[in-house]
Amino acid sequence: MSLLAPAVIAVRISWEKRRNRGDVFVKPAPFNYVKPSSVGDALSILGEHPDAVVLAGGQSLLPMLNMRLVAPSHVVDITGLPALNEISVADGWLRLGALLRHCDLAASQTVAEAAPLLQEAACHIGHPAIRNRGTIGGSLALADPAAELPACLLAIGGRIEIQGLDGKRVVEAATFFTGTFETVLKQGEILRAVEVPVLAAEYRSVFDELARRHGDYALAGLAALGRINNGNVRDLRLAFFAAGDKPALAVTAAQFLEGKTLSEANIDEAVTLIGDDIHPIGQPGCGEQTKLHHCGVLAKRALSRMAA
Amino acid sequence: MSDSPQHGHLHAILDRPNSYIGRSVPRPNVRRLLQGRGSYVDDIRLPRMVHVAFVRSPYAHARINGIDTDATLKIPGVVAVVAGAELAEYCTPWVGVLSHLAGLKSQPQHAIAIEKACWQGEAVAAVVAETRAQAEDGVDAVLVQWTELPIVADMETALDDQTPVIHPDLGDNLAWQRTFEAGDVDAAFAAGTVVEEEFSFGRHTGVTVEPRAILSSYEPAEGRLTVHHSCQAPHMMQNIFATHLGLEEHDVRVICGDVGGSYGIKVHTYADEMATAALSVMLRRPVKFIADRLESFLTDIHARDHRVKGRMAIADDGKILGVEIDDLTGIGPYSVYPRTSGIEANQIVNLTGAQYTCGNYRAKTAVVFQNKVPMCQYRAVGHPIATAVTEGLVDAAAAAIGMDPIDVRRRNLIPDDAYPCTAATGLSFEGLSHHRALARLVELMDYDGLRAEQTRLREQGIYRGIGVATFIELTNPSAMFYGVGGARISAQDGCTLRLDAKGNVICTTGVTEQGQGAEAVMAQVTATAVGVQIDKVRIITGDTDVVPYGGGTWASRAAGIGGEAAAQAGKALRENILKVAGIILQAEPGTLDIRDGRVVDMTDGNDRIGLDEVGRIAYYRADTLPKDFQSELVATRHYVPKLYPFAFTNGVQASWLEVDIETGFVTLLKHWAVEDCGTVINPQLVDEQIRGGVVQGIGGALFEHCLYDDQGQLLNGSMMDYLTPMAAEMPDIEVAHVVTPTKDSELGAKGAGEAGTAGAPAAVLNAINDALMPLDVRLNIHPATPERILAALGTIDGL
Amino acid sequence: MEPMIDIKTSVNGTTVSARVPARQTLVDFLRYHLELTGSHVGCEHGSCGACTIRLDGDIVRGCLVLAAQADGTEVETIEGLSDSGELADLQATFRTRNALQCGYCTPGMLLTAQALLADNPAPSRNEIREYLSGNYCRCTGYQAIVDAIESVATARRGVTS
């Protein structure tokens, strides 16, 4: 369950669903601010105060606080926790600490080599000033359906390391995201790190999104990954975002293409199958039919690029 | 003109030597802004200042049964909680009607709503506290008991019998209507090929980066109110504060310092601002209100919510035979005060087709009340709609008879030598240059080259389009715009120029600055008219205690009207200075001139004496001047246009873009604007006004829309959801000029501030339709979002 | 009494110790507590960029950082960067090119432009536009700003155009 679920679904999608539609707050309600210096301390504070929220980069939390979409008793700043912004590769896995900023993800040579999809996606997140603060942990924990990184994680098949008072657990990306701004993170837990498998060289990734303006939340987006051998594609993952309540894989379309060439005809056929698994939720000015169509266009273009 | 025949030519402002007219000098006063040292209202602090936040209605229409403030009064920092009835003792209501819009009716509006709220976001109580955060805490604790009332949210059905009436006292939801007819419209439509299109324009709003802001301070001993106000028209607000707060006008001082953008948004009377001023009188301490971004979307005036059915009849030879429009607009529950919410519709009736020779025109408009945010004048009032309708019909008509859209325009635009003349809609034109401007545009954009590129790319399945839009633009309004209807809005303006004891010129003017460069224009004209270097000129604007009575800045009047007052005042001051100099030098004033701050011989420029020396003698050594002479090193002149009700300008714009027919996304490749605004005082500033205006127009054409549901709820009132143009999607804009000065003033300057916005939406939509022509698709919906384009293409179901 | 927090931060090179409401954002702290009003507030939800300041050398949105989070950091605002001369060429070129009108977005634009040129000394016009895509300007239509930044970039590289 999302740490923020008791309040309101975030600003962006649910402007109209805020508590009182006459509310025009821009200054937060009063809260206590604490900055623990160890994970243990952080967890006990979260345990003591069930309505506390975790602050990392703050690029999504601050707007919610400012607009009083959330009014926690405590804001727990975890940016002081040591060793949570690591980038390392070991045993075929790329490990990224939860506090790794988007700008550092975008600039990392290690990430460029081990998981180019993540790097390509990071450049699309917001604007430079946002990327200088926002973190991968924050993005995944928030689980905005229009966010880039959750879909990338789904496509790559990553896993998320969670720490609670009763210890560590690891959850696969496929089961981590459960709904609009909802994950399996429990109250009192902290997302600690993300790990993605370093895929073989034959894997090609394509990231694309359709947004009205550079840096906007996408109207529809796709993180695509597949293994290309002799013109055939295998193990294709088409992870769509901004097209449903959580990132989703177009499994039927991917299964159809398994072992086939990425010819125009095959791609066109696969595109017709996207709707079997992708069920967009419309937003004002962009309905579900438009979104589904956009997903199809993104898939066609991504698959054509993969074939090239 | 001067009465000295042989030297008369150097007295005229456009003949002055070392002139700044036509030069792109940097604006004075911008170094501060570049260093973050401006003084916007929120930068100002006064002793014992408090902040106000408002409890706002969550419903579009609801009766207020009770307001419980017990919890609020206990919140730390809260100083007062005030509802509508209590505040009404300090502030009388207003009604936004003008007599020249015959039949316009509206309900009185209070500073804080009393019986019911009529739009989602309307304020129903004020919480005053030591900080804004605490005021919001207070708002959070106020409990209002509501009874929801039926909502009027669809303008098409607002006048139906079964639709509830928002204000029963008014009888119905009709604010105003107007019909107009000229020539023989029915015969015209019987004679030619007829195209018929329905246009819809999405409600949108100004989104000034600095939100609305006011700091009101009342001194009770003398009964003086001082208001720091982010606004365009300080004298208008002075009158309104005085009238409705029961104060004498000269006891109200309005100061407009740095204003972070306005574009018309900040020239209207807002209940929140009136409430703030009233609270400062009630509480006897300074009260500050800064609209936050969310409440800006819910309370800044909206604009341009129109549905226009248009028809055009065209002969086979391309002559436009007739034009007819049926306009419907849904404003808010009140007509906004004092300029009224009928003006936008009135402009549309006046402007549609007016650039063409066609004399057969019929128009009707209905302005209806809605339970939505009030609507009123926003940059280029009505022009974007009239231009988009006219130019969209022209393109449709051209396609219907297979003629090039530029050729059709050449065939029908009023000839450049036909002036002065009157348009079919009744507008008086002094002198326009449609043909010269169009020719310049065609050359500038390489029209034939682009057509060839378009054809080539179409073969590859790439859809690019060219859209052209000619337009007229109203500037320099006389009293025929507002004054004639009873509004206390000044069309005239004044300028006082004073030479100080060091040879500097201090200029006070009734026009105001919001970034467009009014101060620069005034400085350039002043420096030229008097004969000093521009860094010797100091411009003071925006303070009603200091400047001559004027109108402020709106309807693109600052350069043409404010500038002319400065030109005349400069001429008068120069004469006064030369009188003193003549005495000092024992020379005839008529043989002298002032150049670069020095008094010189007119004929050979021989240096005689500095202005600093003239000032020193006049101010400190009057004992050395004749007993029968009094030096007057100050001059005030006023100016109002007299020959024409408005100084119309003309322009033409073109958009070159690409439509991705798979996604519906539009990429703007380039934009051109050719503008005739008469004498150009500062070419760079004019060009930048046009560019900014074009981008604002593009916003309405592609991105901006206040989205409402059928319960009158605004769905996208934040900057994440409401899309304003940002840098990455905007094109470079090339600007060129034609110059047809007005003879209504010596400067000959018309206005330029709104032209960019007037023509851009038409050019963009015409370009989209041009791009999609091979697919036999037309759309006339603003904003033309990807979804709407896909629907027009049939890719998704119609909306 | 609402929860307060003690912070110690360097602002434009001067150490500042203050007790602030825990809920106060950094831009409000700068504007109200330190009266450095050059950083502006336009939306308070991170969309307009008018509040752009520098935190430990990186541009950030002042409305999306708590004052509490500035503890132990170095904050630089438009005032400090003006007085140090770091922005002098950008400011001069903005002035001559009229890359500002009302001036409200300008401090944010200048800080963002400076960050761009530190990151990419030879940006194309498209790259300039993309980097500025989080800074809202309503007055200029952006072209003059792009022109000014392009011109400064060229001059800094010592290229005669």
Side-chain angles (χ1 to χ4, degrees):
Chain A
M1 188 182 85
S2 164
L3 297 166
L4 305 167
V8 164
I9 305 171
V11 178
R12 196 187 43 76
I13 285 183
S14 297
W15 166 253
E16 71 275 15
K17 291 201 184 81
R18 60 199 188 286
R19 184 176 54 93
N20 178 343
R21 295 176 198 185
D23 287 351
V24 287
F25 302 119
V26 286
K27 310 294 182 195
F31 55 75
N32 295 285
Y33 168 89
V34 288
K35 188 174 178 183
S37 47
S38 75
V39 173
D41 286 347
L43 291 172
S44 30
I45 297 166
L46 290 173
E48 253 178 77
H49 302 284
D51 70 335
V53 295
V54 171
L55 171 64
Q59 302 305 280
S60 296
L61 181 62
L62 263 289
M64 292 189 210
L65 285 171
N66 289 348
M67 295 194 198
R68 304 198 182 202
L69 297 174
V70 286
S73 65
H74 287 74
V75 168
V76 182
D77 184 344
I78 61 166
T79 59
L81 300 182
L84 282 195
N85 57 1
E86 60 184 309
I87 306 178
S88 62
V89 178
D91 300 329
W93 286 81
L94 168 70
R95 182 179 173 86
L96 305 167
L99 292 180
L100 185 66
R101 297 180 301 166
H102 301 316
C103 59
D104 296 324
L105 186 66
S108 160
Q109 188 57 30
T110 310
V111 174
E113 286 161 11
L117 181 63
L118 283 180
Q119 185 159 86
E120 218 187 315
C123 302
H124 281 83
I125 302 175
H127 306 287
I130 303 282
R131 295 196 288 274
N132 284 339
R133 298 289 292 178
T135 64
I136 186 166
S139 176
L140 297 175
L142 179 68
D144 186 327
E148 293 84 355
L149 295 177
C152 290
L153 211 68
L154 188 62
I156 300 180
R159 58 196 189 201
I160 291 155
E161 190 181 295
I162 299 168
Q163 181 123 34
L165 276 170
D166 47 0
K168 248 187 258 197
R169 63 194 181 105
V170 176
V171 179
E172 302 289 315
T175 50
F176 179 79
F177 305 102
T178 56
T180 307
F181 299 95
E182 283 180 14
T183 68
V184 300
L185 270 175
K186 294 204 278 272
Q187 174 59 41
E189 290 184 318
I190 292 175
L191 190 156
R192 177 128 191 195
V194 174
E195 290 184 327
V196 297
V198 180
L199 298 170
E202 302 89 56
Y203 277 87
R204 302 201 54 199
S205 64
V206 176
F207 180 88
D208 200 5
E209 65 176 44
L210 288 171
R212 291 301 313 277
R213 306 172 305 176
H214 187 85
D216 275 358
Y217 287 103
L219 295 183
L222 172 62
L225 200 57
R227 195 169 73 214
I228 313 288
N229 270 119
N230 303 319
N232 293 344
V233 65
R234 291 196 182 281
D235 197 18
L236 180 65
R237 306 97 179 273
L238 300 170
F240 288 94
F241 58 97
D245 62 346
K246 55 187 193 285
L249 291 166
V251 289
T252 313
Q255 273 161 14
F256 167 77
L257 285 172
E258 179 73 12
K260 293 195 177 71
T261 59
L262 288 173
S263 66
E264 206 177 308
N266 284 341
I267 291 175
D268 284 348
E269 172 90 29
V271 165
T272 67
L273 299 170
I274 288 172
D276 287 11
D277 301 293
I278 304 301
H279 309 294
I281 298 171
Q283 62 193 76
C286 191
E288 26 186 278
Q289 203 190 359
T290 305
K291 277 182 180 281
L292 187 60
H293 171 76
H294 280 153
C295 288
V297 175
L298 285 171
K300 181 167 132 176
R301 292 179 179 179
L303 291 167
S304 306
R305 270 167 68 186
M306 244 186 230
Chain B
M1 283 297 193
S2 166
D3 39 302
S4 173
Q6 72 271 37
H7 304 301
H9 65 288
L10 285 178
H11 291 267
I13 184 74
L14 295 179
D15 296 327
R16 293 287 299 142
N18 304 348
S19 172
Y20 287 94
I21 309 297
R23 288 177 52 185
S24 293
V25 295
R27 291 161 52 202
N29 283 331
V30 291
R31 286 191 179 92
R32 308 175 297 120
L33 303 180
L34 285 160
Q35 295 188 10
R37 289 175 164 128
S39 180
Y40 303 89
V41 170
D42 193 37
D43 300 339
I44 300 169
R45 215 124 299 159
L46 292 177
R48 300 190 70 235
M49 183 177 79
V50 285
H51 300 255
V52 61
F54 292 96
V55 178
R56 298 192 179 279
S57 171
Y59 304 109
H61 199 195
R63 174 148 292 114
I64 303 162
N65 295 326
I67 302 181
D68 183 349
T69 60
D70 288 348
T72 298
L73 289 163
K74 299 191 182 98
I75 295 213
V78 169
V79 158
V81 189
V82 182
E86 190 184 353
L87 200 63
E89 295 167 38
Y90 289 84
C91 183
T92 59
W94 53 86
V95 184
V97 296
L98 288 173
S99 59
H100 67 310
L101 296 183
L104 173 62
K105 61 185 195 272
S106 185
Q107 192 74 342
Q109 186 183 0
H110 290 268
I112 294 180
I114 298 177
E115 284 172 16
K116 63 176 188 174
C118 293
W119 81 86
Q120 178 216 4
E122 186 174 14
V124 301
V127 177
V128 184
E130 281 158 16
T131 68
R132 169 79 191 209
Q134 289 166 332
E136 291 191 5
D137 296 341
V139 166
D140 212 354
V142 172
L143 295 170
V144 183
Q145 288 94 48
W146 300 99
T147 300
E148 290 183 61
L149 297 171
I151 289 160
V152 180
D154 174 10
M155 59 182 175
E156 296 284 354
T157 57
L159 300 178
D160 290 0
D161 286 336
Q162 59 269 39
T163 301
V165 174
I166 298 175
H167 305 292
D169 290 351
L170 297 180
D172 57 28
N173 290 324
L174 181 68
W176 187 61
Q177 62 186 345
R178 181 185 168 205
T179 58
F180 177 87
E181 188 150 354
D184 189 342
V185 176
D186 292 323
F189 278 91
T193 303
V194 175
V195 292
E196 203 161 323
E197 310 257 316
E198 181 163 319
F199 299 80
S200 101
F201 299 88
R203 196 177 241 262
H204 55 281
T205 184
V207 199
T208 58
V209 191
E210 180 210 21
R212 297 186 347 260
I214 183 171
L215 169 55
S216 178
S217 174
Y218 182 66
E219 191 285 292
E222 303 290 339
R224 291 216 82 217
L225 187 77
T226 302
V227 186
H228 296 266
H229 198 179
S230 181
C231 80
Q232 295 174 222
H235 286 101
M236 183 192 87
M237 290 313 302
Q238 176 190 43
N239 166 262
I240 287 171
F241 289 131
T243 302
H244 293 283
L245 298 176
L247 300 169
E248 294 297 324
E249 200 151 311
H250 62 286
D251 283 331
V252 176
R253 178 181 185 190
V254 178
I255 303 169
C256 302
D258 290 320
V259 173
S262 186
Y263 335 104
I265 300 300
K266 297 171 180 173
V267 81
H268 303 291
T269 301
Y270 288 93
D272 300 338
E273 273 90 306
M274 297 303 289
T276 303
L279 286 166
S280 74
V281 175
M282 178 195 282
L283 298 174
R284 299 180 164 205
R285 48 195 301 194
V287 182
K288 178 185 274 188
F289 170 62
I290 312 291
D292 68 47
R293 183 57 55 194
L294 309 183
E295 63 195 336
S296 291
F297 279 109
L298 284 178
T299 55
D300 283 1
I301 55 105
H302 292 180
R304 316 218 218 283
D305 195 358
H306 285 256
R307 183 273 292 137
V308 185
K309 294 181 183 160
R311 304 201 301 152
M312 181 175 277
I314 189 164
D316 289 337
D317 66 356
K319 180 156 172 55
I320 297 169
L321 301 173
V323 179
E324 177 167 12
I325 60 163
D326 176 349
D327 169 64
L328 174 66
T329 179
I331 58 174
Y334 301 102
S335 168
V336 177
Y337 176 74
R339 294 171 192 253
T340 86
S341 307
I343 294 287
E344 186 174 79
N346 196 40
Q347 298 267 74
I348 291 168
V349 171
N350 286 341
L351 297 165
T352 301
Q355 64 267 53
Y356 295 113
T357 53
C358 172
N360 305 311
Y361 174 62
R362 184 158 58 212
K364 70 177 185 193
T365 180
V367 179
V368 300
F369 293 117
Q370 302 268 283
N371 292 115
K372 295 180 180 175
V373 174
M375 290 217 319
C376 212
Q377 278 75 301
Y378 167 47
R379 196 176 196 173
V381 188
H383 293 67
I385 293 166
T387 305
V389 169
T390 304
E391 295 299 89
L393 287 171
V394 167
D395 269 17
I401 60 167
M403 197 178 227
D404 178 271
I406 300 236
D407 286 344
V408 171
R409 286 171 173 87
R410 285 197 188 107
R411 180 87 178 72
N412 290 283
L413 285 165
I414 297 173
D416 290 355
D417 60 2
Y419 301 96
C421 66
T422 304
T425 64
L427 300 175
S428 300
F429 296 141
E430 177 190 2
L432 302 174
S433 61
H434 289 295
H435 290 268
R436 267 189 299 154
L438 183 57
R440 184 81 184 92
L441 176 79
V442 167
E443 170 198 35
L444 194 65
M445 66 189 286
D446 184 16
Y447 181 76
D448 293 337
L450 289 179
R451 280 286 178 217
E453 190 178 337
Q454 176 186 48
T455 307
R456 190 173 50 78
L457 289 170
R458 269 183 186 155
E459 286 154 24
Q460 298 168 34
I462 295 171
Y463 294 88
R464 291 194 177 175
I466 302 168
V468 170
T470 67
F471 59 93
I472 51 172
E473 171 65 45
L474 177 158
T475 75
N476 295 359
S478 68
M480 295 304 291
F481 204 1
Y482 290 115
V484 70
R488 290 185 165 261
I489 293 168
S490 179
Q492 62 83 52
D493 226 285
C495 174
T496 300
L497 298 179
R498 179 180 91 240
L499 187 79
D500 74 3
K502 284 294 193 73
N504 302 305
V505 177
I506 316 300
C507 165
T508 62
T509 168
V511 301
T512 53
E513 173 75 66
Q514 297 89 45
Q516 66 276 75
E519 288 174 345
V521 164
M522 297 301 289
Q524 288 174 252
V525 172
T526 297
T528 302
V530 176
V532 299
Q533 291 183 323
I534 198 166
D535 61 342
K536 296 298 231 175
V537 178
R538 165 107 189 281
I539 308 291
I540 298 171
T541 67
D543 185 337
T544 57
D545 259 12
V546 171
V547 306
Y549 201 93
T553 294
W554 46 276
S556 307
R557 70 190 292 278
I561 296 179
E564 183 65 13
Q568 297 306 319
K571 190 193 301 185
L573 180 64
R574 186 160 62 84
E575 285 177 14
N576 287 3
I577 293 170
L578 292 179
K579 277 190 194 133
V580 179
I583 289 173
I584 295 169
L585 299 169
Q586 299 287 293
E588 273 300 310
T591 66
L592 302 169
D593 192 9
I594 307 175
R595 295 176 200 169
D596 289 345
R598 311 285 305 172
V599 177
V600 304
D601 285 329
M602 173 82 80
T603 46
D604 58 11
N606 190 35
D607 189 282
R608 300 298 301 275
I609 189 173
L611 288 192
D612 52 345
E613 189 58 6
V614 173
R616 184 188 71 79
I617 293 169
Y619 286 120
Y620 304 127
R621 298 307 311 272
D623 58 303
T624 64
L625 298 171
K627 288 188 175 17
D628 61 350
F629 174 78
Q630 176 56 55
S631 56
E632 289 289 356
L633 297 183
V634 66
T636 298
R637 289 293 181 271
H638 291 79
Y639 169 75
V640 69
K642 293 193 173 114
L643 299 181
Y644 288 87
F646 311 101
F648 274 97
T649 66
N650 63 277
V652 58
Q653 293 184 24
S655 169
W656 171 233
L657 52 77
E658 185 169 313
V659 181
D660 181 336
I661 60 166
E662 285 189 325
T663 62
F665 276 65
V666 172
T667 302
L668 300 170
L669 301 169
K670 190 82 184 278
H671 201 98
W672 298 264
V674 177
E675 177 65 19
D676 185 345
C677 56
T679 303
V680 175
I681 296 163
N682 186 319
Q684 180 166 253
L685 294 186
V686 170
D687 287 0
E688 291 309 311
Q689 279 298 286
I690 290 169
R691 290 193 173 102
V694 164
V695 168
Q696 217 160 1
I698 289 172
L702 294 177
F703 291 98
E704 300 185 47
H705 197 174
C706 297
L707 292 167
Y708 273 90
D709 69 11
D710 61 9
Q711 293 302 297
Q713 296 288 313
L714 182 62
L715 299 174
N716 62 340
S718 82
M719 289 198 72
M720 298 186 200
D721 303 299
Y722 179 97
L723 305 178
T724 51
M726 304 298 273
E729 289 70 41
M730 291 303 108
D732 280 345
I733 300 157
E734 214 172 314
V735 184
H737 291 278
V738 175
V739 179
T740 308
T742 172
K743 298 189 179 71
D744 211 344
S745 71
E746 221 176 287
L747 260 178
K750 303 174 187 172
E754 296 168 272
T757 308
V764 171
L765 266 287
N766 278 357
I768 291 173
N769 285 325
D770 184 64
L772 300 179
M773 210 188 305
L775 304 169
D776 217 14
V777 163
R778 279 189 65 79
L779 76 160
N780 295 306
I781 318 181
H782 300 232
T785 61
E787 181 166 75
R788 287 167 160 180
I789 290 174
L790 289 176
L793 286 166
T795 309
I796 63 166
D797 294 338
L799 301 161
Chain C
M1 187 74 201
E2 68 170 277
M4 306 291 281
I5 195 101
D6 289 327
I7 63 171
K8 190 160 159 189
T9 172
S10 161
V11 179
N12 295 327
T14 300
T15 305
V16 170
S17 294
R19 171 160 290 191
V20 302
R23 60 169 160 171
Q24 188 171 62
T25 59
L26 179 53
V27 69
D28 280 354
F29 169 68
L30 294 166
R31 289 181 55 78
Y32 294 112
H33 194 98
L34 300 181
E35 296 182 305
L36 289 166
T37 56
S39 307
H40 298 140
V41 169
C43 75
E44 294 176 278
H45 47 276
S47 295
C48 76
C51 65
T52 304
I53 54 173
R54 238 196 240 168
L55 187 71
D56 285 343
D58 291 327
I59 52 166
V60 299
R61 310 283 211 215
C63 69
L64 298 188
V65 178
L66 293 173
Q69 293 181 287
D71 183 51
T73 68
E74 282 186 24
V75 177
E76 293 165 286
T77 71
I78 181 69
E79 293 93 338
L81 294 171
S82 295
D83 290 346
S84 72
E86 185 179 328
L87 299 176
D89 56 351
L90 280 167
Q91 289 164 320
T93 310
F94 267 50
R95 175 174 171 267
T96 53
R97 182 57 194 85
N98 206 59
L100 73 157
Q101 292 186 23
C102 78
Y104 203 78
C105 76
T106 306
M109 283 290 179
L110 287 168
L111 266 77
T112 304
Q114 183 70 346
L116 163 64
L117 295 180
D119 218 24
N120 180 357
S124 67
R125 287 180 73 84
N126 274 347
E127 284 171 328
I128 295 172
R129 285 182 178 276
E130 281 188 5
Y131 205 93
L132 294 179
S133 61
N135 289 74
Y136 174 49
C137 175
R138 191 52 138 174
C139 294
T140 67
Y142 305 104
Q143 184 172 340
I145 298 174
V146 177
D147 288 350
I149 294 171
E150 186 181 39
S151 163
V152 168
T154 304
R156 284 186 185 181
R157 293 192 326 267
V159 174
T160 45
S161 47

